[in-house]
């Protein structure tokens, strides 16, 4: 049968029905209203779309050009442009055709057949075909490939080539978030360049000379400085308007703001702490867009001090989230419950009370599992060891740096010694998060526009960096993936959220709203988070008044 767009919307878009209004609630209302007014004014200015021009975007780290193995934000942003997927999300986050012109789903939900667009070529001129789709999904589900997407597509049984432009993806079970995940971070790789060697060893491809099918291709890579993309004349969609897109490596948020003010950048995401610096900059529009994110403190559950759910519950009660939302986030965030954010309205359980700031209750909980205060107020266990750990955070981002400082101060009040360590974001992820060499760190997840969090919090999955394991949660997360009925899925994920209150996998701090600072010369930017907006880079244009 043909996949029903309405049925898909019932599973995922319904969860986002209130997203647009949410993006403008709370925070500094006058700033949000001003941003909307300026954006409307900008869009109404008469002017012609010109072909040409250079767009300059900030990036916080050097990228890895491979959507299958790249784990970090900088890589994801570049890969969204270079490597299109079978589908891409529209402004309502529904899957729409991209490399695939259409698709059908089997009646039993166990396979999807994709008809690929004819005439697509890779950046090097080689023809794109079903072989590339099969190669990519074989790599995604191969446990030896280094894939960061294997957990997302654990339900995939295999891929069949029906002809050069038709491919069938077989599933082990019905898989509710399948199409959503296809449009999330999944780009297609070229078989003719990567077959026969591990993806992780394709260093020249991954670091300097990637080949995709997207509207822009890599022209030059200057490590630590920039990545320059040039228009792809062979692009299968509408011809891109811009000549080039230059990603400048600027890890420090304050430096990004300075370059925006100086006219050296055209698009950045703004942290609330720096909002005042860009609010009234001539030629810059401020936008709020909804994002499916949760910011959190990740405690390494493999460390004995964090193994007990009671300890993690107590730590959650010891942190004043409202103070962080008001002080650090300037109100541009929502108070959390669990890891499923409020923008997924149809699945978010608002009957759960927010976790209170209750330091006395936190001390009592910690005492119940053996952490008692000495004469100096510091907590010690039965062996006399102090409750002390290192909290890692990437430097140059005021939101995360200030949040980490607030967490440190709150935990110090109940007798826990926290040492802050700052480092470059890429080093934090590469050297500490991925290999599990940390006590705790402040970070965030941007998850798909679906409540499925199997890849992040199911035991043993690729993105479960905190090593959390709960058998009941595993059952719920597995069941949520195979359940197609919306009401039943809602009940499953609300049960998961209630479980998180008793056994929190992480200390969720807030659900942020993305603030974009955009040059008024830039048009064609969809109302999406910057990661998904980059899927539409061929529409970007420079318009002079």
């Amino acid at each position: 049968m043909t996949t029903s767009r309405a049925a898909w919307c019932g599973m995922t878009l319904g969860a986002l029905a209130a997203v647009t209004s949410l993006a403008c609630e709370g925070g500094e209302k006058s700033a949000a209203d001003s941003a909307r007014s300026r954006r409307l004014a900008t869009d109404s200015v008469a002017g012609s779309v010109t072909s040409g021009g250079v767009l300059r975007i900030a990036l916080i780290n050097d990228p890895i050009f491979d959507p299958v193995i790249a784990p970090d934000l900088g890589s994801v942003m570049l890969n969204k442009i270079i490597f299109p997927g079978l589908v891409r999300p529209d402004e309502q986050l529904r899957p729409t055709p991209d490399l695939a012109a259409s698709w059908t789903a089997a009646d039993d939900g166990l396979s999807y057949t994709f008809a690929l667009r004819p005439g697509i070529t890779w950046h090097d001129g080689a023809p794109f075909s079903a072989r590339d789709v099969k190669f990519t999904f074989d790599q995604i589900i191969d446990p030896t490939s280094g894939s960061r997407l294997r957990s997302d597509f654990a339900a995939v049984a295999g891929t069949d080539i029906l002809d050069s432009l038709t491919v069938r993806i077989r599933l082990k079970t019905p898989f509710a978030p399948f199409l959503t995940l296809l449009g999330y971070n999944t780009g297609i790789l070229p078989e003719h360049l990567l077959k026969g060697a591990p993806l992780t060893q394709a260093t020249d491809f991954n670091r300097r000379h990637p080949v995709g099918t997207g509207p822009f291709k890599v022209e030059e890579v200057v490590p630590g400085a920039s990545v320059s993309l040039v228009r792809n004349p062979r692009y299968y969609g509408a011809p891109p308007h811009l000549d080039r897109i230059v990603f400048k490596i600027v890890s420090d948020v304050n430096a990004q703001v300075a370059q925006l003010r100086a006219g050296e950048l055209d698009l950045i995401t703004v942290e609330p702490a720096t909002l005042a610096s860009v609010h009234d900059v001539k030629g810059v529009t401020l936008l709020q867009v909804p994002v499916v994110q949760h910011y959190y403190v990740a405690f390494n559950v493999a460390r004995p001090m964090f193994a007990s759910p009671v300890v993690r519950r107590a730590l959650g009660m010891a942190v004043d989230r409202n103070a962080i939302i008001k002080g650090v986030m300037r109100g541009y965030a929502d108070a959390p419950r669990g890891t499923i954010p409020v923008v997924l309205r149809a699945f978010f359980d608002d009957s759960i009370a927010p976790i209170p700031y209750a330091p006395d209750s936190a001390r009592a909980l910690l005492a119940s599992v053996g952490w008692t205060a000495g004469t100096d107020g510091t907590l010690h266990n039965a062996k006399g060891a102090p409750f002390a750990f290192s909290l890692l955070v990437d430097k140059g981002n005021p939101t995360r740096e200030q949040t980490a400082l607030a967490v440190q101060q709150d935990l110090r009040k109940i007798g826990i010694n926290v040492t802050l360590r700052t480092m470059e974001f890429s080093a934090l992820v590469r050297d500490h998060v991925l290999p599990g060499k940390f006590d705790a760190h402040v970070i965030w997840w941007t998850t798909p526009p679906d409540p499925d969090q199997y890849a992040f919090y199911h035991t043993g999955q690729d993105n479960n960096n905190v090593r959390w394991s709960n058998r009941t949660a595993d059952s719920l997360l597995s069941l949520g993936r195979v359940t197609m009925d919306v009401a039943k899925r809602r009940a499953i994920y609300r049960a998961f959220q209630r479980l998180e209150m008793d056994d929190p996998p992480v200390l969720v701090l807030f659900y942020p709203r993305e603030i974009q600072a955009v040059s008024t010369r830039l048009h064609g930017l969809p109302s999406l988070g910057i990661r998904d907006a980059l899927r539409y880079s061929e529409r970007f244009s420079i318009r002079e008044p």
Side-chain angles (χ1 to χ4, degrees):
M1 69 175 182
T2 302
T3 300
S4 166
R5 176 67 56 81
W8 186 89
C9 290
M11 287 187 283
T12 55
L13 181 60
L16 293 158
V19 164
T20 301
S21 61
L22 265 173
C24 296
E25 293 174 2
E28 298 175 359
K29 190 174 187 297
S30 60
D33 290 345
S34 174
R36 291 195 299 277
S37 298
R38 284 197 283 165
R39 182 59 173 177
L40 289 172
T42 300
D43 286 343
S44 67
V45 171
S48 59
V49 177
T50 58
S51 180
V54 179
L55 173 65
R56 298 153 302 174
I57 304 176
L59 207 64
I60 65 173
N61 62 278
D62 285 303
I64 299 171
F65 302 115
D66 185 324
V68 173
I69 65 171
D72 56 85
L73 176 61
S75 301
V76 168
M77 290 174 64
L78 264 298
N79 290 333
K80 294 273 190 178
I81 297 176
I82 299 169
F83 302 100
L86 294 175
V87 305
R88 61 181 176 179
D90 66 9
E91 288 187 296
Q92 286 73 46
L93 298 173
R94 300 170 297 190
T96 59
D98 200 353
L99 291 175
S102 63
W103 59 87
T104 58
D107 290 336
D108 60 6
L110 293 179
S111 67
Y112 286 76
T113 302
F114 295 88
L116 307 179
R117 293 180 189 269
I120 297 176
T121 61
W122 292 95
H123 291 160
D124 63 359
F128 166 80
S129 75
R131 294 180 61 89
D132 299 304
V133 179
K134 175 175 171 53
F135 170 77
T136 300
F137 276 89
D138 286 349
Q139 295 299 310
I140 286 173
I141 65 176
D142 182 354
T144 68
S145 70
S147 169
R148 305 299 304 174
L149 301 178
R150 192 163 65 94
S151 295
D152 283 345
F153 294 101
V156 171
T159 307
D160 303 320
I161 297 173
L162 304 186
D163 60 45
S164 64
L165 292 177
T166 311
V167 63
R168 178 189 296 129
I169 299 178
R170 291 177 283 106
L171 305 176
K172 301 170 186 174
T173 61
F175 187 32
F178 179 60
L179 290 173
T180 301
L181 290 173
L182 285 182
Y184 176 51
N185 286 335
T186 313
I188 303 302
L189 294 171
E191 181 199 41
H192 69 287
L193 294 177
L194 296 173
K195 185 178 181 180
L199 295 181
T200 53
Q201 294 181 16
T203 307
D204 185 65
F205 184 97
N206 295 341
R207 292 294 186 176
R208 300 195 69 87
H209 300 110
V211 173
T213 56
F216 294 86
K217 58 184 180 178
V218 170
E219 179 183 44
E220 182 183 28
V221 177
V222 181
S226 64
V227 178
S228 298
L229 307 183
V230 65
R231 179 193 298 157
N232 173 21
R234 300 187 179 96
Y235 181 56
Y236 54 88
H241 295 299
L242 298 170
D243 284 334
R244 286 177 173 78
I245 300 176
V246 176
F247 285 86
K248 300 179 70 175
I249 313 299
V250 187
S251 59
D252 186 276
V253 171
N254 292 313
Q256 291 183 14
V257 169
Q259 292 192 26
L260 178 79
R261 291 177 62 89
E264 297 169 6
L265 285 170
D266 302 301
L267 174 60
I268 66 173
T269 56
V270 180
E271 299 298 328
T274 59
L275 188 60
S277 299
V278 297
H279 179 50
D280 292 318
V281 176
K282 185 178 180 180
V284 172
T285 295
L286 293 176
L287 306 174
Q288 280 194 70
V289 295
V291 285
V292 188
Q293 286 185 346
H294 59 283
Y295 269 63
Y296 62 95
V297 180
F299 297 114
N300 189 341
V301 179
R303 299 281 199 263
M305 71 180 75
F306 301 124
S308 169
V310 176
V311 169
R312 284 178 270 118
R313 285 207 310 273
L315 295 174
M317 297 172 73
V319 173
D320 190 347
R321 294 169 175 80
N322 286 334
I324 293 173
I325 290 171
K326 292 177 182 177
V328 177
M329 297 302 294
R330 310 299 199 267
Y332 285 93
D334 294 293
R337 273 68 163 181
T339 57
I340 294 176
V342 69
V343 294
L344 297 177
R345 181 69 64 139
F347 296 95
F348 180 76
D349 191 348
D350 57 8
S351 69
I352 297 174
I355 300 167
Y357 173 53
D360 290 340
S361 298
R363 290 188 191 93
L365 277 177
L366 290 168
S368 73
V369 290
W371 289 101
T372 57
T375 55
D376 62 352
T378 301
L379 297 182
H380 294 78
N381 62 16
K383 297 181 179 179
F387 201 143
F389 64 89
S390 294
L391 179 62
L392 310 183
V393 63
D394 58 308
K395 64 181 179 180
N397 182 287
T399 293
R400 292 190 287 278
E401 288 180 340
Q402 292 173 22
T403 296
L405 180 61
V407 170
Q408 179 194 43
Q409 292 173 344
D410 283 344
L411 295 184
R412 182 176 293 163
K413 292 175 184 176
I414 66 165
I416 298 175
N417 291 326
V418 179
T419 301
L420 295 185
R421 291 184 57 199
T422 61
M423 61 191 66
E424 296 292 341
F425 179 77
S426 57
L428 171 65
V429 173
R430 180 189 65 241
D431 301 334
H432 297 277
V433 175
L434 295 182
K437 296 179 180 179
F438 66 91
D439 294 330
H441 61 268
V442 174
I443 204 162
W444 78 102
W445 276 125
T446 301
T447 55
D450 185 276
D452 171 48
Q453 294 191 344
Y454 179 96
F456 305 93
Y457 297 115
H458 189 287
T459 300
Q461 297 309 305
D462 297 334
N463 293 323
N464 186 354
N465 300 313
V466 294
R467 279 66 177 171
W468 184 64
S469 180
N470 181 295
R471 292 180 65 181
T472 302
D474 289 350
S475 297
L476 290 169
L477 292 172
S478 296
L479 185 61
R481 287 194 139 191
V482 303
T483 301
M484 307 300 286
D485 180 85
V486 176
K488 292 179 179 178
R489 287 195 90 208
R490 182 181 298 115
I492 290 166
Y493 287 109
R494 290 187 173 184
F496 173 68
Q497 291 167 77
R498 290 190 293 274
L499 179 150
E500 288 185 299
M501 297 301 102
D502 292 326
D503 185 2
V506 295
L507 194 165
V508 183
L509 295 161
F510 50 81
Y511 308 135
R513 303 168 201 164
E514 184 171 288
I515 308 169
Q516 299 171 353
V518 187
S519 168
T520 54
R521 297 167 60 248
L522 173 62
H523 286 253
L525 185 70
S527 182
L528 291 165
I530 191 168
R531 295 157 51 122
D532 289 322
L534 291 171
R535 285 283 197 204
Y536 292 89
S537 59
E538 80 279 7
R539 300 182 184 179
F540 299 173
S541 65
I542 299 298
R543 182 184 300 178
E544 302 294 349

